[in-house]
Each structure stands twice: as structure tokens, then as C-alpha cells.
Amino acid sequence: MFTILIASGLLAAAPERPLAIHADKARLADGKVLEDAWVVIEDGKISSVRSGGEAPEDSAVLRHTGWISSGLVALHAYAGTPRAELRDTTRTMLPEARIAWALDPARPEVADCLREGITSLLVTPARQSLVGGAGAVLKTAGGTIVSREAQLSLGFAAMSYVSNRYPTSFQAGLAELERLLEKPSGLLEKAKEGELPVLFEVSERSDVMRALAFAKQQELRGALSGAEWTGELAKSVKESGLSVVLPPIGLGEERRALRAVLSLAQEGVPFGFGLDAPLSHPASLRLAAALCVREGLAADQAWRALSSEAARIAGVEAQLGALAEGQQADVVLWSGDPLELTSSVQAVYVDGRRAYTAEGR
Amino acid sequence: MKTQWLLLSLVATASLARAGDDERKAWTILAEKIYTSTGRVIEKGMVQVNNGKIAQVTPSVEEGGAATELKVYAVTAGLIDASARLGVSLTSVEQSTEVQPHRRVAQAVDIFAPEFERVLAGGVTTVLVNPPDSNVIGGLGVALKTAGGDTLESRTVRADVALRGAIGSQPSGGNRPAFGRATDFFNRRPTTRMGVEWEWRKAFWDAAQVERDESKRFPGIERMQEALAGKLTVSIQAWTTQDIRTAVFLKEEMEREKLGSPRLVIDAAAEAWKEPQLLVRSKTGVVLPPFPALGRTGDGAFMAWNTAQLLHEKGVVVALSAHGAADLDERLAAQAGYAMRGGLSFEAALAAVTIHPARLFGLEERVGSLEVGKDADLVLWNGEPFEPTSRPIGVIVDGVLRVDPRPAPVD
């Protein structure tokens, strides 16, 4: 519940005046909890985060009974574009494709994400290509595309191959990728130079193994995405320096998949949660984190995977993913601890503007 | 002690366990019979394993009662399935061309497939994995351990172990002529056995001529040249008599025309019993398919129970295979038993699942017999190996106890 003490239309229309939000508790970027928290928003940015004290003079003050955090960052999302636009079916290798050109921020599934406290989506090309092109980071309100070249998708899973078109085999697929990277241009060159992270689309542990060998051979950096048992190879993944994007984890998930997540944490492999929305409900992002905590993952680590670590994997950590000074003001007001599933989203601010409120729905 | 038991059972059951150096313990195996696959049998002896290798084989027993002592009836070298069709899938076949000698199936093998663990429990410690025979020349096979680390290198006994291809109906299956239908991927030759044979001959002839005529070049032709020179073993799947003849005639044609002398192994040679002299005169090794319950194997070929015995008697080097089957009545140990039922001696049957496949595919430096200095791949038996009343109760791979023969502790 929140009440606006100095009320006017200023939240929507007058950005000059700072907004000071007070909450009982705040989840910080490192997952730590700050009590008696003041978060000040100015010109769409967070200008200060501190404990105790008073609101700055001249600011609009909002007192919230509950928690405040930065907005969640969902990796590997399909929201914001029709399914058919996620992949060009005529060609299996399209290194210059950019999902940003297919984005329609007004699509309803984007707003569905916003309502669950997700303020940024890394929209990713479909997994059925050998080279799928570049993913993009989209805000769930306001239509801002934060990054048009967030990751370059490379297919290492069986589903990246089609049975009636070259290549049909891992052997030939790997040879093609090697050939493309021999004299790379455009996005491939950026990936080869280490400027653009690679998203290795994997499904089985053998795909992970192949991707690790390829990343090492080609000296690529980036993340492995989509294999639920990646954590069983945690030592090798750690050695590779790659991060991990976990596939959606739902109720009824085998404990083996959850234990694999713990193995990643134990080895110190950075990871974030993939969403696949609208294929899975946006609420499943927070559910995945909660299930991992239930299995034994430290709460602060689960929080980082939902926010700052995900932003780092998406390459946008300088702008968002943390409740900290200088970051874009994407904040969520929760009824309680965001890692508790009984907590609900009360309001969401994107770039300092109130984009959603649970009141008056 | 208790934690050690726990650790061991974890190693044995969890495929995710990594074979770290700390797990490569020293083991002492005390056995009534040590079958070495060299013709030598040691009664009441000891095998000592250290650092992943066989350290000592002793014809006497000194019981020390140490925790690393394993007492069993018999011990043999780890079994080798010379034609295990494991860990490969649709994505292991490149359908775009029929002849692709340079492709490595190793890049498409799933070493985490649960079948590896299942054949391991049946005593198989090394398997040959070949490209699935959907192509005429599918590429290069690989010899892998059935247990080990989580990288391909850690599991590889030998890479590029043979150039693999097929003769028979399989490589042309699914192909169709282009007449009267929309052109697609599978509108191509060969559509017949004749076409398959033509692709083989053309590949060899092109390889022999490319130095003089650059227009003959195709991707992977260097591998065909190595095969012609006898540096790379050619493994051809040929089930029936006519297909076995085609393979041998191909080799003999290369020799007659002085293009080279391929080193040939025929895999799945079910009907080799009909013309064994072909194999004898061409010094061709043979891998037999699993013995069929009703006589018929692949491509409609008939294999008799005495096939292994007959070929062995004629002097052909015979290896048996289970095609990766792990069921009690199909697995490699059972195949050895079936071959014995068909008349093969125990020693020859043991050789056919250990040292013969190792020699056929150039693995004998590391595996295939129980000798000092070789990889510590051992099978521990509760009775005479291959007898229906016996089974592997323990398996060691590279010195790591993967299947523990000792009864589980009761709290």
C-alpha cells in the first residue's frame, strides 16, 4: 500500500521534481536488504539510495508499506514480437539478423511482464537456427530498446538443425560455424573480438560440452542457454568463463534440475533466469528463483540472478538491474519480500515513470 | 570408512562423477582366474592397479585385508564393443552429401547418453562409435571409454579410428529420383546398391587421380588418400554376401590397379560364413553383428550360430559386437557366450571381445588385454566369464571403480 503525500499530476507529467520513495525494506543489487530505505528518482534515474533520514527538500514523497527493488530482468524472452518473426525460416544462418527490427512493444504480453515486476526483457531469436542473429533488450513500458545488439545467438542443440536442409548434423554445423568465424564480419566479427557476447543455445549436456569446446577453440565469451542440467558440468563451465541462462523452472520440476542450479552457485558460475514468455507465464521468473531458494540457494544469489547478474549477462549492467545511484529508475514496489511468492507487485516505475499500479485495476 | 563406501557408490552410480586424480585409487584384485587375453591364464593371482594403469600381475595371492582389496572369481580386460551404435542420433548424420570422409562423428556423440552407463554395467569399457550408415561414406569413427570425465578428450581412446561407410541398401534408403516431383534434399543418387558401389569406386578413383587432375577434388578427399595408402582403416558395413563381395572386390581392385592397398574391416558381416576365403585372401578383418534369435540380421542377411567359429578356424580376425545393446540376452558378454555355443573356444571368444577389436582398430597400445602398462580397464566376474550363470559384478575404467563388486554396507 502506498500513499502519495504531496499529490498532483507530477508523477506522469513533471519530471523536474524529484520523487522520494520510502519503503520498509529494499533489495539491493547484491541481494542484501536495506532497512528504512529512501530511494530518490530524478530525471528518470535513481539519484540516491540510503537508509534513514528524510526526503530531500522539494521532492514528492511516496511512503510505501512494503519492499522496494529494482525491476526484474528476464533473459531469453520471446515477448514483444509475434512467434513467426523470431526466426527467418528460409535460412539457418543469419548472422546479421537483429530481433530489434521485429519488436512491437505494444503487444499485450509485454504488459503482462510489467505486471509481474519485470521491467526489462532480453528478447532472443528462436532456437531453431544455427546463427539466429542478435537479441535485444526491451523495456516493458515506454517502448525503449536499451540494446539492439545484446547477444549473438548460435545454435548448439539438436533443435537448431532441420532434417531436410544443410546442415543436418552437428559435424557439419560446427564446420559451418568455424568457417563463418574464420573471416568474420559484422556481428560475427564483434563476437569474435569479444565485443558482443554469444548466446550458446543448448539443450542436452552433450550440447553444453560441444559449446564449451567451441567457445574455447574460438575464444568466445557469453552464456550457455537452455540446458537444465548445465550445472552437472559446473566445473567445466567455470573454467570456460561463460555464464548460464537457465531454462524456465516450474512447479513439478525434477529436483535434479534444481540441484544443478545449486552446483552452478557452488562453483561460482554466474547465472540468470530465462523466461521464454509468452511460452511460460511471466510470474514463472520469480517462481523459478523461489524454487531455487527452497532447494537451498542463498536468497541474495537468487536475487542477483533476477536482476544485476541478468543485466550483466545482457550487457546492460551499467544502465539497469540494480537499485543504485546512476541507474535507470526501473523500480518495483512490493507488498513484501520479492523472493516470497506471497508478495505481490503494488506498483512499477520504468524510467522514473509510474507504468503500473495494482490499485484501480 | 563409511564415507569411502559412500564415495564409491556415488562414483558407481552417478554418471556426473568426474574422474579426478583423487579417485584413481590403487586397487588390488584377488582372483581365482586371471584371463589376460594374451593366451595366458593365471590361477589364484593378483592384479594391481595404480594411477589408472595396470601396475602388476602376480601369479600368487597375498591377502592384506585392505579396503582397496577386491576379491572375485575371475578378472578379464575390459570388453570392447567393436560396433556400438551409442550416443548417436538424427543430428549425427549429415544428409546433404553421400560422401563425406572428413566428417567426425565424435562431434555429434552424446557421451552423457544413459546407454553408456548401461553397457558399462555389462562389462564394456571401450566402444567404437561410427557415423550412422545413412551415407555411403559417412566419415570418421571414434573409440571411446564408457566412463570418464565430461569432455570428449577425457573419453577418447583414439580419434579418427576408421573411415566408415556402408555397402548395401541402407545408404540409398530414403533417396529418390527427381523425375516428376518437387526437387528436395533427397532427390539424388544413389537409389540402388549399384549407385552405392559407384560412389565408393568414384571416391577412391578420384582420390588416386586428384594429384594429376585437380577437378577430381572434393571435401575430405585427403582422408580417402590416407585410406588408399593403408594409413586409415576402412570400416565398411556389409551384411549380405553380395555386399561383402563388393567391399572386398573394391579393395582388390585398388590393389590390382596399383592405386593403393586399403586396410579393410567389414562390420556387420553376417554372411561372411558363405565365402570365408574372400576374407582370408584379402586379409580382411570382420566384426560380426549380434547373433539373431531367428537367424535374420540386417539387410535380410542370415547369420548362423557357428559363423564366428568358422571364420576363426579359417584364420580370419573376428570381433564380436552387441551394437551397443545392454539387455542381459543381447549384451556383449552374451554374444561371446553365443559364439561359444556355436563352437568357438573360450579363449577365442574372449579375444573377439577384447584384443581382436583392439588390433583391428589400432587400440592395442592402450586396451584389449590384461597386461602391465595398459589402461586399468577391468571386468570382475562372479564365475566363468560368458557362462549364462555368470555376470560382471565389478567394472574398473582407467583405474576408477565404476561398478563396485562388494555388497552395499548395511547400517
Side-chain angles (χ1 to χ4, degrees):
Chain A
M1 293 295 108
F2 59 94
T3 46
I4 298 169
L5 294 183
I6 302 176
S8 65
L10 79 169
L11 292 181
E16 293 86 9
R17 205 162 169 210
L19 169 65
I21 304 174
H22 181 268
D24 302 334
K25 291 180 181 187
R27 272 268 177 213
L28 300 179
D30 56 5
K32 301 263 161 51
V33 178
L34 187 74
E35 309 265 341
D36 189 12
W38 278 105
V39 176
V40 183
I41 296 172
E42 225 166 326
D43 294 334
K45 297 266 173 69
I46 297 172
S47 62
S48 87
V49 177
R50 62 187 160 79
S51 175
E54 294 300 320
E57 276 182 36
D58 260 8
S59 60
V61 175
L62 189 156
R63 289 192 181 272
H64 172 59
T65 311
W67 289 51
I68 188 169
S69 77
S70 61
L72 308 184
V73 180
L75 301 171
H76 210 279
Y78 295 138
T81 166
R83 191 91 182 104
E85 302 282 354
L86 288 165
R87 154 182 176 239
D88 193 315
T89 51
T90 61
R91 276 156 292 184
T92 186
M93 287 175 285
L94 275 175
E96 286 304 306
R98 285 165 173 80
I99 208 80
W101 299 117
L103 291 179
D104 173 8
R107 289 179 62 83
E109 73 267 12
V110 177
D112 290 345
C113 293
L114 177 75
R115 282 196 286 275
E116 292 296 339
I118 299 167
T119 53
S120 292
L121 300 166
L122 203 177
V123 187
T124 307
R127 316 179 73 201
Q128 285 88 344
S129 299
L130 211 50
V131 184
V137 179
L138 172 72
K139 288 281 177 86
T140 53
T144 314
I145 296 174
V146 184
S147 167
R148 291 176 170 271
E149 295 173 7
Q151 295 166 329
L152 179 66
S153 291
L154 300 184
F156 278 78
M159 70 169 73
S160 314
Y161 292 82
V162 187
S163 64
N164 62 352
R165 160 179 88 180
Y166 175 78
T168 68
S169 66
F170 289 123
Q171 303 94 300
L174 286 168
E176 277 303 309
L177 291 177
E178 276 174 33
R179 188 181 62 79
L180 283 176
L181 286 164
E182 238 166 60
K183 286 176 192 158
S185 62
L187 294 183
L188 280 167
E189 190 177 5
K190 286 187 184 174
K192 183 80 186 163
E193 297 294 321
E195 292 164 28
L196 178 62
V198 170
L199 188 71
F200 297 90
E201 293 282 13
V202 289
S203 167
E204 300 296 324
R205 284 171 297 167
S206 55
D207 305 337
V208 173
M209 185 195 83
R210 263 189 295 277
L212 290 176
F214 190 79
K216 189 177 178 186
Q217 178 205 335
Q218 299 286 339
E219 298 176 350
L220 300 173
R221 65 180 192 92
L224 300 155
S225 161
E228 56 178 353
W229 296 338
T230 306
E232 293 178 7
L233 307 182
K235 280 196 173 70
S236 304
V237 178
K238 177 67 183 171
E239 282 164 27
S240 75
L242 297 180
S243 306
V244 171
V245 177
L246 298 166
I249 300 169
L251 287 171
E253 192 69 49
E254 271 186 87
R255 287 190 70 197
R256 183 176 174 182
L258 295 168
R259 281 195 296 262
V261 177
L262 296 197
S263 301
L264 290 175
Q266 211 165 11
E267 284 297 327
V269 176
F271 62 91
F273 293 101
L275 182 57
D276 286 9
L279 296 182
S280 57
H281 191 274
S284 64
L285 194 74
R286 205 155 57 94
L287 173 65
L291 288 171
C292 291
V293 172
R294 190 173 78 167
E295 189 65 28
L297 185 69
D300 55 347
Q301 198 150 15
W303 178 254
R304 288 200 297 274
L306 285 171
S307 58
S308 54
E309 202 61 79
R312 199 194 53 75
I313 291 170
V316 290
E317 73 278 17
Q319 298 107 294
L320 52 89
L323 195 69
E325 195 183 318
Q327 289 259 303
Q328 292 173 3
D330 302 343
V331 301
V332 183
L333 305 186
W334 306 86
S335 63
D337 183 352
L339 285 173
E340 295 288 343
L341 289 177
T342 48
S343 305
S344 64
V345 174
Q346 300 292 301
V348 185
Y349 291 75
V350 175
D351 291 320
R353 286 163 181 263
R354 195 170 68 191
Y356 167 72
T357 164
E359 276 183 358
R361 271 186 76 195
Chain B
M1 184 63 190
K2 201 169 165 187
T3 50
Q4 193 186 20
W5 273 106
L6 188 70
L7 181 77
L8 289 173
S9 59
L10 276 175
V11 168
T13 54
S15 65
L16 48 142
R18 286 166 69 101
D21 289 339
D22 51 329
E23 289 170 22
R24 298 195 173 193
K25 290 204 171 67
W27 296 101
T28 302
I29 299 117
L30 314 173
E32 294 294 314
K33 302 268 185 70
I34 300 172
Y35 294 109
T36 62
S37 293
T38 63
R40 185 167 166 235
V41 182
I42 297 164
E43 301 213 0
K44 292 197 195 305
M46 287 197 302
V47 180
Q48 274 162 313
V49 163
N50 203 355
N51 204 22
K53 299 281 176 189
I54 297 170
Q56 213 175 342
V57 184
T58 325
S60 62
V61 172
E62 283 171 50
E63 273 188 61
T68 53
E69 215 168 77
L70 304 168
K71 220 173 149 182
V72 294
Y73 179 78
V75 55
T76 64
L79 309 187
I80 302 173
D81 192 331
S83 187
R85 298 162 183 217
L86 295 178
V88 289
S89 60
L90 281 178
T91 336
S92 312
V93 182
E94 183 49 49
Q95 297 280 12
S96 58
T97 48
E98 290 298 344
V99 176
Q100 41 189 334
H102 58 308
R103 299 276 185 225
R104 291 190 165 100
V105 78
Q107 291 182 312
V109 173
D110 180 358
I111 61 167
F112 304 100
E115 292 82 9
F116 283 104
E117 229 171 307
R118 295 182 66 211
V119 299
L120 170 76
V124 176
T125 56
T126 298
V127 290
L128 254 90
V129 179
N130 288 310
D133 295 298
S134 299
N135 306 105
V136 177
I137 300 175
L140 301 159
V142 64
L144 297 171
K145 291 281 172 84
T146 51
D150 57 19
T151 60
L152 187 63
E153 296 75 54
S154 70
R155 296 276 291 267
T156 302
V157 183
R158 194 176 161 205
D160 302 346
V161 76
L163 177 64
R164 173 69 168 198
I167 288 174
S169 68
Q170 200 179 339
S172 60
N175 291 352
R176 46 189 180 261
F179 318 121
R181 38 175 118 217
T183 309
D184 94 340
F185 207 74
F186 295 100
N187 294 140
R188 59 176 181 192
R189 67 175 175 247
T191 59
T192 62
R193 275 189 161 78
M194 297 176 286
V196 171
E197 192 267 353
W198 184 86
E199 291 279 3
W200 269 106
R201 290 182 70 228
K202 179 167 162 44
F204 271 129
W205 276 94
D206 284 353
Q209 294 175 324
V210 70
E211 300 302 336
R212 277 168 285 128
D213 181 357
E214 196 53 30
S215 72
K216 303 286 186 193
R217 188 168 293 283
F218 61 85
I221 198 164
E222 301 81 8
R223 294 300 190 174
M224 296 305 297
Q225 290 174 312
E226 283 174 45
L228 266 181
K231 291 179 196 158
L232 176 61
T233 300
V234 181
S235 166
I236 296 181
Q237 175 185 271
W239 302 82
T240 65
T241 308
Q242 82 256 37
D243 296 331
I244 294 167
R245 289 164 67 102
T246 305
V248 171
F249 291 168
L250 191 68
K251 170 183 160 75
E252 291 181 341
E253 178 183 334
M254 296 304 119
E255 288 164 354
R256 194 170 59 245
E257 301 287 342
K258 304 206 180 335
L259 302 181
S261 182
R263 192 174 174 276
L264 182 61
V265 175
I266 296 185
D267 185 14
E271 287 188 352
W273 58 275
K274 285 189 182 171
E275 294 194 55
Q277 75 283 0
L278 268 182
L279 303 162
V280 175
R281 80 168 188 226
S282 61
K283 297 189 179 64
T284 298
V286 157
V287 179
L288 292 180
F291 285 91
L294 299 170
R296 292 288 164 192
T297 62
D299 252 349
F302 177 82
M303 185 159 90
W305 289 106
N306 66 345
T307 301
Q309 187 270 328
L310 186 137
L311 293 171
H312 177 72
E313 189 184 287
K314 302 276 183 196
V316 178
V317 179
V318 179
L320 299 173
S321 78
H323 286 186
D327 293 349
L328 280 177
D329 56 347
E330 289 177 20
R331 62 194 194 182
L332 194 58
Q335 299 303 329
Y338 295 149
M340 287 167 68
R341 179 184 166 193
L344 197 65
S345 69
F346 169 76
E347 269 306 320
L350 178 63
V353 290
T354 53
I355 193 65
H356 281 179
R359 283 194 193 130
L360 284 177
F361 296 101
L363 316 173
E364 71 273 27
E365 298 277 296
R366 281 187 59 185
V367 297
S369 62
L370 200 163
E371 290 177 274
V372 172
K374 287 209 180 183
D375 289 4
D377 297 353
L378 301 170
V379 189
L380 316 180
W381 304 79
N382 66 351
E384 286 297 337
F386 314 142
E387 291 295 333
T389 49
S390 309
R391 65 184 176 89
I393 52 169
V395 184
I396 293 173
V397 183
D398 290 322
V400 180
L401 189 64
R402 295 284 172 183
V403 179
D404 195 332
R406 297 167 294 190
V410 180
D411 272 329

